[in-house]
Amino acid sequence: QTMLLGIPLSLTPMHRGGRGAEWVAGLSALEEDEIPLSFDDQMTRAMNHADRVQVNFYMESQCPGCRIYTSIVLANLMRSEEFRNMIDLKVFPFGNGILYSDDTVDCQHGEAECIGNRLIACMQQHYPITDEDQRGFLAAMSCIATSSDDPEIAAPKCCVEGKLDYDVVRQCAYGKEGQELQLQAAKDTYGLDPPHQWSPWITLNGQPVLHKAWELLPQVCDKYTGPKGELCRNLEEDKKVTVVDGEKVVLTQQGQQVEGSGR
């Protein structure tokens, strides 16, 4: 069947009644339809952080590819607690911007993108993903990615959806802290070795995965050294997870779609 970014079109929101800019509506609410653990919870809690894969996401707020990657690839995978327990995620909102020698920056898509980058950086700074809050800022960031509005307009509503305090985020983004976070993201992006070639750019444990970023789960499973659950075991059985949909993990095997419980 026809696929979009490895996801069957029949399962994407545009084929569930969405239209135009609303085609990814609803994907930002990570707390809804969460995929439960597919193996013993005790094992999950015992996982050592040293086993986790460091996933670094180099992006920019107005980049169409970054928006798709955020709202489809990351948002869907991060609904699975099993996946969240395999990774540590950090976002670097700068992308293809320019860093000048005087520590000023220009963003690829203009000042609206710079504001969006600072908003995302501040969300991450004040509402990071932790063991206690495994969703952190990501729901609000995904909401911004799916919005047809500029990030500055979308941010208040998206903070409400993501259960963040917009006043905290706003004061950071429009103040000195936001400028410092923007500069640090720029320096971290410029410091990549090898350099990034495009946005979205994904590294796992410091190494770029290039176009394989769109198949993030197999890359994470391959590098994860802790006890593996159903998501990774299915891959080892020559199956490929293409999307997490509701309470089902939808897989493809030998070109045909099959469904398996996410539990």
Side-chain angles (χ1 to χ4, degrees):
Q1 64 173 327
T2 305
M3 309 284 283
L4 171 67
L5 304 176
I7 299 174
L9 279 178
S10 61
L11 297 176
T12 60
M14 76 167 83
H15 285 259
R16 286 187 265 168
R19 182 174 56 186
E22 300 172 349
W23 75 279
V24 285
L27 284 179
S28 61
L30 298 186
E31 67 275 10
E32 298 178 3
D33 299 326
E34 180 167 325
I35 308 305
L37 283 172
S38 59
F39 60 102
D40 188 77
D41 190 61
Q42 218 38 42
M43 180 185 293
T44 302
R45 297 296 175 247
M47 287 179 177
N48 193 319
H49 274 268
D51 295 324
R52 294 189 179 185
V53 180
Q54 180 63 50
V55 178
N56 287 351
F57 178 26
Y58 298 85
M59 51 76 69
E60 49 195 11
S61 63
Q62 297 282 65
C63 156
C66 299
R67 287 177 173 235
I68 293 172
Y69 195 87
T70 299
S71 60
I72 294 182
V73 178
L74 276 183
N76 276 311
L77 286 174
M78 289 294 284
R79 285 164 58 193
S80 165
E81 187 173 358
E82 182 182 327
F83 183 79
R84 294 197 301 266
N85 278 291
M86 290 194 293
I87 72 164
D88 286 320
L89 174 67
K90 186 169 184 180
V91 176
F92 297 82
F94 181 72
N96 300 326
I98 300 173
L99 172 62
Y100 296 102
S101 59
D102 62 354
D103 283 349
T104 58
V105 303
D106 276 337
C107 296
Q108 183 180 18
H109 300 98
E111 181 58 22
E113 180 166 80
C114 281
I115 294 172
N117 290 348
R118 293 197 299 271
L119 286 163
I120 291 169
C122 288
M123 289 175 179
Q124 178 173 235
Q125 179 71 12
H126 290 274
Y127 300 96
I129 296 171
T130 64
D131 284 344
E132 291 72 32
D133 182 6
Q134 290 194 327
R135 288 183 282 277
F137 69 97
L138 192 59
M141 175 179 161
S142 182
C143 172
I144 288 175
T146 64
S147 175
S148 58
D149 294 322
D150 283 347
E152 183 175 23
I153 303 301
K157 173 180 73 75
C158 290
C159 281
V160 171
E161 285 194 18
K163 300 179 181 178
L164 313 185
D165 186 333
Y166 174 65
D167 286 339
V168 171
V169 173
R170 178 182 56 80
Q171 290 174 16
C172 169
Y174 293 98
K176 181 179 178 181
E177 184 180 18
Q179 296 288 344
E180 291 174 346
L181 291 172
Q182 177 177 251
L183 178 59
Q184 189 59 55
K187 290 182 176 180
D188 289 337
T189 303
Y190 264 61
L192 281 168
D193 184 16
H196 91 290
Q197 300 176 37
W198 55 74
S199 294
W201 186 257
I202 304 293
T203 67
L204 302 187
N205 295 338
Q207 296 302 310
V209 294
L210 304 176
H211 295 294
K212 291 182 179 180
W214 296 98
E215 296 290 348
L216 182 60
L217 179 61
Q219 310 308 313
V220 168
C221 288
D222 182 60
K223 294 186 180 298
Y224 180 66
T225 58
K228 295 179 181 178
E230 185 176 347
L231 289 180
C232 292
R233 290 198 300 268
N234 282 330
L235 292 174
E236 292 167 0
E237 295 169 4
D238 197 30
K239 296 179 180 179
K240 173 182 156 187
V241 175
T242 54
V243 67
V244 178
D245 183 48
E247 293 187 354
K248 295 287 187 179
V249 176
V250 180
L251 313 167
T252 58
Q253 184 175 27
Q254 298 178 341
Q256 296 186 352
Q257 179 179 317
V258 295
E259 289 188 347
S261 172
R263 297 183 187 276

